[in-house]
Amino acid sequence: MEGNAAISLSLLSLGLERKVKCYNGYFINGYIFHTEEYGHGRKTYNIGVCIRRSTSSEFEVDYYGRLEEVIELQYLSEQNRVFLFKCYRYDTIDRGIRVDPHYDLVEINSKARHRNVNDVFVFAKQC
């Protein structure tokens, strides 16, 4: 391993801090995301997330959801932080979505919660 990679890996192996930080919003990939609680009652906010993934057959599948929490995990070395989004995700495979052909807008069945309720965290940089 190269010098910096070996140092980073050894610092990560020390583990996580025992505390986490939570935020009402987060700016990443050119977008500002807000938690649903923060956005409630405001005129403008962005609680919607889209996670692009690939299935085992290599077809792109997009997952959509609402942002519930922004969580910062910090490793024992201060420079290594990870931001996670806890999301309420929708089932876009079995119950489907509809894309408006004229405006290219995605319409989601908001009553269709993703079946795997234990799979609620994504890296912020994936959204």
Side-chain angles (χ1 to χ4, degrees):
M1 275 189 185
E2 297 296 319
N4 288 343
I7 292 170
S8 296
L9 188 56
S10 66
L11 291 174
L12 292 177
S13 69
L14 296 174
L16 291 168
E17 293 276 346
R18 293 200 177 264
K19 59 185 176 183
V20 299
K21 293 181 183 178
C22 297
Y23 299 94
N24 290 326
Y26 192 65
F27 178 80
I28 192 160
N29 298 333
Y31 297 97
I32 297 175
F33 295 93
H34 296 111
T35 61
E36 187 171 18
E37 182 179 334
Y38 175 83
H40 186 71
R42 297 188 185 270
K43 290 183 180 181
T44 60
Y45 59 94
N46 178 23
I47 63 170
V49 296
C50 175
I51 304 108
R52 297 200 56 101
R53 295 199 181 173
S54 295
T55 62
S56 58
S57 61
E58 295 303 320
F59 290 106
E60 286 292 320
V61 176
D62 295 340
Y63 291 92
Y64 296 91
R66 294 188 322 245
L67 180 59
E68 293 180 339
E69 290 183 69
V70 178
I71 301 167
E72 176 189 6
L73 301 178
Q74 187 168 326
Y75 287 86
L76 292 174
S77 63
E78 290 186 23
Q79 66 216 43
N80 294 308
R81 299 178 302 165
V82 175
F83 288 88
L84 299 175
F85 284 178
K86 180 180 178 188
C87 300
Y88 176 104
R89 291 193 0 213
Y90 298 106
D91 183 356
T92 56
I93 297 173
D94 292 335
R95 300 186 210 175
I97 62 173
R98 188 180 84 113
V99 179
D100 183 289
H102 183 70
Y103 296 106
D104 202 30
L105 294 174
V106 177
E107 184 178 344
I108 300 168
N109 180 359
S110 63
K111 295 179 183 175
R113 182 165 184 153
H114 193 271
R115 289 191 181 121
N116 189 354
V117 295
N118 295 321
D119 185 19
V120 296
F121 293 101
V122 295
F123 291 109
K125 65 182 180 181
Q126 290 178 293
C127 296

